[in-house]
Amino acid sequence: MQPGQGVQLQWTSEFATTCQASGAWAGTRSPDGSELTGPLEADSEFVLTCQGPGGTDRASVTVFVESATPTVTMTANPASVRAGTSTVLSWSSSGVTRCTASGGWSGERPVSGSETTAAINQPTDFILECSGPDGSATANLTVRVNSLQGRVFVSAISRSDSDVNDFSAPYAENDSLLTAQRLPNPVILGGYVNEPGRGPDGRSFLSGDLDDIYFAGLTAGQVVELVIPSADPSLPDSERDDVDLGLYDAAGVLVDESIGIGQVEQLTVPATGNYYIRVELYSGAALYRLSIGQPTGTSSSSPTLGDAFVPGQVVVVPGRPGRGISDLSPAMPGTRYGLSLRAGNSGREMLMAMPEEASAAVRLHKPAGEGVRAAGLTVPADLESKRETLRYIKLLRSDPEMPGVFPNRIFRASAVPNDPLYSTQRWHYEMIQLPAARDVITGDRDVVVAVVDSGIVSHPDLDGNRVEGFDFISDPANADGDGIDPDPNDPGCVLGGGSSSHGTHVSGTVSAVTGNARGVAGVAGNVSIMPLRVLDGCEGSGTFYDVLQGVRYAAGLPNDSGRLPVRRADVINLSLGGEGSCDAGLSSFFESVRLQGVTVVAAAGNSGTSAASVPADCAGVLSVAAVGPDRRRAYYSSFGADWVDLAAPGGDMRVDSNGDGAPDGVLSTDATGGGSDREPVYSIQQGTSMASPHVAGVIALMRSVNPALAPDDIDTLLALGRLTDDIGEPGPDALGTGLINAFKAVIAAGGDIPELPPALSVTPSSLNFGDVGTQADVLVENGGTGSLEITGVAVTQDWITATAMDVDDAGLGRYQIRVDRSGLSPGVYDGRVAFQSSAGASSVAVLMQVADGTGTADAGYQYVLLLSDIGTVGTEQVELLARGEEVEYGFGALDQGSYFVIAGTDMDNDGFICDEAEACGAYPVENDPVRVTVDGPVSGIDFTSVFRTGVQGGALGAESRPGAQKGFRRRD
């Protein structure tokens, strides 16, 4: 029987008169009877002795009880602790009589109870051993200490201004030729300059930091670009941030200077050699981003000394909103600024001559500290008059009473480049053979791609392609303050300083207006975008239900809006997802979407593991992983042979493989600000969210070629390898069937496609090895139809070699380009690899640097924050110098919980990291942060932090002036 139970005893006797019980019971009993014993915990013998006239008799029985095995259980609450704090241990037992503690505690303990431990600073074992009549039992638990460790990756081309305003950052003067800071080429650098007494309190607040001087080896045709986030030409000097950019030769003699009042200043290097680069403050206190690279095509309205114009003359034209030239008398500029009328009148443009004392007027109006400038720089006489003219124009432009003022430019016939930022997109568009696909078709307006995301911001590069959308965020407590409605515009938020604008960036990759001489180009630049808002623009998160409603609307299925689109979507892009595998119900839902004739494309996720995500894992959804510029899986991208279908460019912002002075992320449309202050800009981001719209855009091109193409047709073509390039081992692998190929896809789509001649395609078209790189691959392909054969490969410099690695009989395929610095003097070297073919020639530009002490990768002094919620103040903070291509960080004392991990610089010392132009990063990628759960030691939380490179007002035109955006507040 079981311990703790009783047993029914029965007995009878003959001729007995009395009976006596003994053993496990006692006392007098009647000669006949029955009795229920008490609970028995052990084997028990019951004896009954009876007496009568004839004598005495004895009977006994043994009741066996199963062994009472001792048990002990123990718990800790919490199970993991912040270093230096305690936990409460609770325990209970059975079958024991005594307990003894050891490990993190000691001594005798009762058989049950609870106890608060001493402070715990490291993982600690708590042991409780208890014993009883039938043996002993032990409980053992480990209380973990919460911690979080990881690495911050730094782009090899990142550098930081050595004399920023942050007291904690290392300091080295860089405001003269003798103290010039040496830079590699290419480079992206974050910096800060300020007038005395302007800007936040900090190291340079009182004394000012008027100049930053850099020294670098540059190559003819390269572009030096300066971007500041806070320029506002409408403000007077006393309130305006304004920085100019100068280029000086190795002797310190001025070569060229960009003197404007907008956000972007640019200079083109006239000849290969060593140069000083001067970041010169005109007024205010400004963060800035300086880059050196190949020509990018970024638009800048700022005049330069290299421009052709007439010195001493200015043209006064209409141009300020709310101010016409008709009411401007020629007497006002003459009286106030000494200008004299040369031609025109108050009813139209006026040509005016500057006064002889123009330079004195400029000095009079310049801010404090004009005389405390970089030593050793000189201005040649032939540039002095042009420089004086541009500086005087800057002075005039700062007057809110003056209309537009410009140099009297000398015009010549020239071609204006279209979509000026396209060159920064070349690496990812050329990788997927998009230029060849565009020779077939650029997209049909009747094709609709639904972007189910955070909505969209009004943007000059998107507005022409938008069709009616909807807002499906049902929670009225979101950023726009209401529930579902017909307005899919992304209101953003003050995300510690800036809205994610995720849907706007995704939409631009799908279909930014192409051929409008503005900004960027989309993969399918003429197709229609249907914006559907299901994600909040602050955290970039949304509910499963709202996402399903957005997908339903896009597919023309019944939904909570009570309406259907005028025309359902042909393609749905889902750059979103959550952890887990797709169940049968959700797969059935997407099957109903496919039956509408809609192809669904989803981002695989940024976990860096093979863990599946939903909806990418669902049958019938094309799951897209991300590759970097090397055509290999991006370090952050999720992967899996059993659920990923294909890959597309998502970027790797740790590198600049083509040397354009920008990290190799995906450049697209974006926005700053929140609410009514949203401003359209362009920015570079990375992630599978950026890869997915490449595929959605390519499928839109296929539907443009062949509107009858069904989702099943696309699946069949994908399985046959007709839409992708196999970039791994032969056959499907962790990146599915391989990298999307836009040209192959539009050809495979069928339809009425014109016959294209063979065309040699070499990607990428430029390589920059910097001062450490040694090898890279290029892909040589036929960008048309018909036959093409490589007839020769030649290099222009003996330090370059080109080797065929994986090519077919026609010589098409992968070539490895290597550089050898042996025996070369410090400096910048350029050359080319030329490919000859039966259909013409193409070449790859190669740039390399031999280092002369330019240092290691440096993204400045950074603050790593843990945020319990996306807000402005960090819950926990550690600090590090982000010097080297990866830097370890760690939090050793944390409460249990889940956190966002953010890192960035505070170069202006305003208490916020991640301001525009500062370095910033988040786990796993900045544009798509995810929470990290801490319930013990957590490691491997690695991410990239780079200087923000969004091109703002200069790319959008002189009148678009988004203000500075605040980031996340660091802890004091």
Side-chain angles (χ1 to χ4, degrees):
M1 60 178 291
Q2 297 294 322
Q5 294 180 337
V7 64
Q8 190 77 32
L9 301 176
Q10 290 182 323
W11 64 96
T12 61
S13 64
E14 289 185 43
F15 310 116
T17 55
T18 62
C19 294
Q20 188 70 33
S22 61
W25 58 343
T28 302
R29 298 292 189 275
S30 63
D32 300 290
S34 65
E35 182 177 322
L36 178 66
T37 70
L40 301 180
E41 300 294 340
D43 296 347
S44 301
E45 183 181 22
F46 294 86
V47 181
L48 189 66
T49 303
C50 296
Q51 294 178 336
T56 301
D57 197 9
R58 181 177 181 275
S60 68
V61 63
T62 300
V63 178
F64 295 97
V65 177
E66 293 184 12
S67 178
T69 304
T71 62
V72 181
T73 59
M74 183 166 55
T75 61
N77 185 25
S80 61
V81 300
R82 184 185 185 96
T85 64
S86 303
T87 188
V88 175
L89 301 178
S90 299
W91 66 97
S92 61
S93 63
S94 65
V96 302
T97 56
R98 59 175 302 202
C99 296
T100 304
S102 61
W105 56 344
S106 61
E108 297 291 324
R109 293 293 187 279
V111 295
S112 64
S114 64
E115 181 177 320
T116 300
T117 68
I120 298 172
N121 290 291
Q122 60 186 6
T124 303
D125 291 329
F126 290 88
I127 304 168
L128 188 66
E129 185 173 3
C130 299
S131 59
D134 295 299
S136 63
T138 301
N140 186 339
L141 64 80
T142 300
V143 176
R144 304 182 302 276
V145 174
N146 298 322
S147 64
L148 187 152
Q149 284 86 33
R151 295 172 295 173
V152 174
F153 296 130
V154 178
S155 169
I157 64 170
S158 286
R159 294 296 186 273
S160 178
D161 174 14
S162 63
D163 64 351
V164 297
N165 198 37
D166 185 355
F167 284 114
S168 298
Y171 175 80
E173 182 181 316
N174 65 355
D175 55 6
S176 70
L177 296 192
L178 292 177
T179 60
Q181 185 176 342
R182 291 180 175 269
L183 299 180
N185 181 355
V187 72
I188 298 173
L189 176 141
Y192 177 75
V193 286
N194 71 288
E195 288 182 73
R198 292 281 294 274
D201 190 20
R203 176 188 284 143
S204 61
F205 174 74
L206 293 177
S207 61
D209 180 13
L210 301 174
D211 288 298
D212 286 334
I213 307 295
Y214 303 98
F215 183 79
L218 308 177
T219 300
Q222 284 193 294
V223 171
V224 182
E225 180 177 83
L226 176 74
V227 179
I228 64 173
S230 53
D232 188 343
S234 68
L235 297 175
D237 286 352
S238 60
E239 302 175 31
R240 175 165 53 94
D241 295 336
D242 189 355
V243 183
D244 295 324
L245 177 66
L247 187 67
Y248 296 75
D249 67 17
V253 178
L254 182 64
V255 174
D256 200 358
E257 189 171 11
S258 178
I259 306 173
I261 58 174
Q263 290 180 292
V264 180
E265 310 280 355
Q266 281 185 345
L267 294 172
T268 300
V269 179
T272 299
N274 293 323
Y275 291 87
Y276 290 98
I277 299 168
R278 181 185 187 186
V279 177
E280 179 183 5
L281 180 73
Y282 180 84
S283 63
L287 291 161
Y288 66 85
R289 187 263 294 166
L290 179 72
S291 64
I292 302 170
Q294 306 294 73
T296 65
T298 305
S299 172
S300 173
S301 60
S302 298
T304 72
L305 300 182
D307 295 340
F309 62 88
V310 180
Q313 295 184 358
V314 299
V315 178
V316 182
V317 301
R320 291 285 175 89
R323 172 91 183 165
I325 195 171
S326 61
D327 58 346
L328 178 67
S329 167
M332 191 279 274
T335 302
R336 187 174 297 179
Y337 296 105
L339 292 169
S340 58
L341 184 66
R342 296 283 299 271
N345 57 52
S346 60
R348 56 184 176 84
E349 294 82 4
M350 293 183 289
L351 177 64
M352 310 194 91
M354 291 167 40
E356 291 185 2
E357 65 275 12
S359 59
V362 171
R363 286 193 296 272
L364 179 65
H365 286 82
K366 288 284 287 187
E370 163 63 15
V372 186
R373 288 292 182 183
L377 301 176
T378 59
V379 181
D382 63 329
L383 292 182
E384 185 60 54
S385 60
K386 297 185 74 173
R387 190 169 192 251
E388 182 179 279
T389 300
L390 296 185
R391 287 176 172 269
Y392 199 70
I393 289 172
K394 181 194 283 282
L395 171 64
L396 297 174
R397 286 182 170 182
S398 67
D399 188 338
E401 295 298 313
M402 291 289 288
V405 183
F406 302 91
N408 191 14
R409 295 182 181 272
I410 300 170
F411 288 105
R412 299 180 177 87
S414 63
V416 178
N418 219 339
D419 297 311
L421 299 180
Y422 173 73
S423 57
T424 306
Q425 298 177 292
R426 288 183 62 176
W427 79 262
H428 49 102
Y429 283 171
E430 290 180 349
M431 178 184 288
I432 66 171
Q433 289 288 292
L434 185 61
R438 285 187 174 135
D439 289 339
V440 178
I441 195 164
T442 56
D444 190 323
R445 178 73 174 160
D446 289 337
V447 174
V448 178
V449 179
V451 177
V452 181
D453 212 291
S454 65
I456 197 168
V457 174
S458 178
H459 198 293
D461 238 353
L462 292 174
D463 292 345
N465 285 345
R466 282 181 62 169
V467 296
E468 183 180 275
F470 209 87
D471 173 8
F472 281 100
I473 297 183
S474 55
D475 183 357
N478 73 91
D480 67 0
D482 56 29
I484 69 172
D485 59 56
D487 180 11
N489 288 301
D490 184 351
C493 72
V494 182
L495 176 66
S499 309
S500 68
S501 305
H502 192 264
T504 301
H505 198 279
V506 170
S507 296
T509 299
V510 174
S511 187
V513 178
T514 301
N516 63 344
R518 182 192 293 273
V520 296
V523 172
N526 292 326
V527 305
S528 297
I529 291 291
M530 179 192 294
L532 297 169
R533 183 169 178 255
V534 299
L535 302 181
D536 188 283
C538 298
E539 291 194 25
S541 61
T543 67
F544 177 52
Y545 181 81
D546 291 348
V547 171
L548 294 185
Q549 296 310 301
V551 173
R552 281 184 163 277
Y553 181 91
L557 295 170
N559 61 85
D560 283 359
S561 73
R563 64 174 70 181
L564 299 176
V566 175
R567 187 187 185 287
R568 64 145 176 84
D570 299 284
V571 185
I572 296 174
N573 185 84
L574 298 172
S575 288
L576 50 81
E579 296 178 355
S581 298
C582 193
D583 61 21
L586 191 55
S587 291
S588 177
F589 168 81
F590 281 110
E591 180 59 30
S592 68
V593 173
R594 285 169 58 89
L595 291 175
Q596 294 290 103
V598 182
T599 299
V600 183
V601 182
N606 301 315
S607 71
T609 71
S610 60
S613 68
V614 176
D617 183 47
C618 292
V621 175
L622 293 182
S623 174
V624 185
V627 299
D630 57 359
R631 295 165 62 91
R632 295 181 175 89
R633 180 179 69 85
Y635 70 92
Y636 53 78
S637 177
S638 302
F639 57 91
D642 55 345
W643 65 282
V644 169
D645 294 299
L646 73 168
D652 184 345
M653 294 176 68
R654 301 175 301 177
V655 299
D656 175 21
S657 60
N658 59 358
D660 62 0
D664 288 344
V666 174
L667 177 66
S668 185
T669 48
D670 202 353
T672 61
S676 61
D677 296 325
R678 307 239 61 190
E679 293 283 353
V681 299
Y682 300 91
S683 75
I684 298 173
Q685 298 184 20
Q686 66 180 9
T688 56
S689 285
M690 285 65 252
S692 181
H694 280 80
V695 174
V698 169
I699 294 173
L701 291 177
M702 296 173 68
R703 293 293 295 262
S704 298
V705 168
N706 184 359
L709 207 62
D712 286 345
D713 299 326
I714 293 170
D715 288 350
T716 299
L717 293 171
L718 180 65
L720 293 174
R722 296 182 61 187
L723 308 185
T724 56
D725 294 327
D726 195 341
I727 55 176
E729 295 297 323
D733 53 28
L735 297 183
T737 61
L739 177 68
I740 187 71
N741 183 310
F743 179 64
K744 288 172 65 173
V746 296
I747 296 298
D752 186 15
I753 299 176
E755 184 72 18
L756 297 175
L760 179 61
S761 170
V762 181
T763 56
S765 57
S766 63
L767 294 171
N768 192 323
F769 291 96
D771 57 3
V772 294
T774 59
Q775 68 181 50
D777 289 346
V778 297
L779 195 66
V780 180
E781 297 178 293
N782 183 356
T785 57
S787 62
L788 181 147
E789 183 177 351
I790 299 299
T791 58
V793 181
V795 298
T796 61
Q797 303 291 341
D798 56 10
W799 46 268
I800 305 174
T801 58
T803 306
M805 302 299 293
D806 183 15
V807 300
D808 59 20
D809 292 340
L812 300 175
R814 181 171 63 91
Y815 287 77
Q816 185 180 87
I817 312 300
R818 295 185 63 89
V819 296
D820 183 2
R821 297 178 178 83
S822 302
L824 297 178
S825 302
V828 178
Y829 296 81
D830 62 338
R832 305 189 78 82
V833 179
F835 292 87
Q836 300 289 336
S837 79
S838 55
S842 185
S843 62
V844 177
V846 180
L847 194 67
M848 178 194 71
Q849 184 176 18
V850 177
D852 58 352
T854 55
T856 59
D858 183 359
Y861 194 81
Q862 299 213 8
Y863 301 84
V864 186
L865 307 182
L866 300 187
L867 306 177
S868 296
D869 292 295
I870 289 292
T872 59
V873 182
T875 303
E876 304 285 347
Q877 173 179 302
V878 295
E879 303 172 22
L880 58 85
L881 180 59
R883 184 169 291 169
E885 295 193 22
E886 58 180 63
V887 183
E888 295 182 350
Y889 71 93
F891 293 86
L894 295 177
D895 293 326
Q896 268 189 321
S898 62
Y899 303 90
F900 294 101
V901 187
I902 312 287
T905 57
D906 184 19
M907 296 183 296
D908 58 355
N909 204 52
D910 67 347
F912 290 86
I913 68 169
C914 290
D915 291 347
E916 295 294 336
E918 292 190 314
C920 191
Y923 174 80
V925 290
E926 183 190 349
N927 67 287
D928 187 20
V930 301
R931 290 182 178 274
V932 178
T933 299
V934 177
D935 57 358
V938 178
S939 61
I941 309 303
D942 306 335
F943 59 95
T944 301
S945 181
V946 298
F947 286 107
R948 291 184 159 186
T949 57
V951 179
Q952 299 183 25
L956 295 169
E959 296 305 320
S960 179
R961 299 181 296 272
Q965 297 300 307
K966 288 300 174 190
F968 302 90
R969 182 178 291 279
R970 64 180 173 92
R971 298 170 69 90
D972 296 329

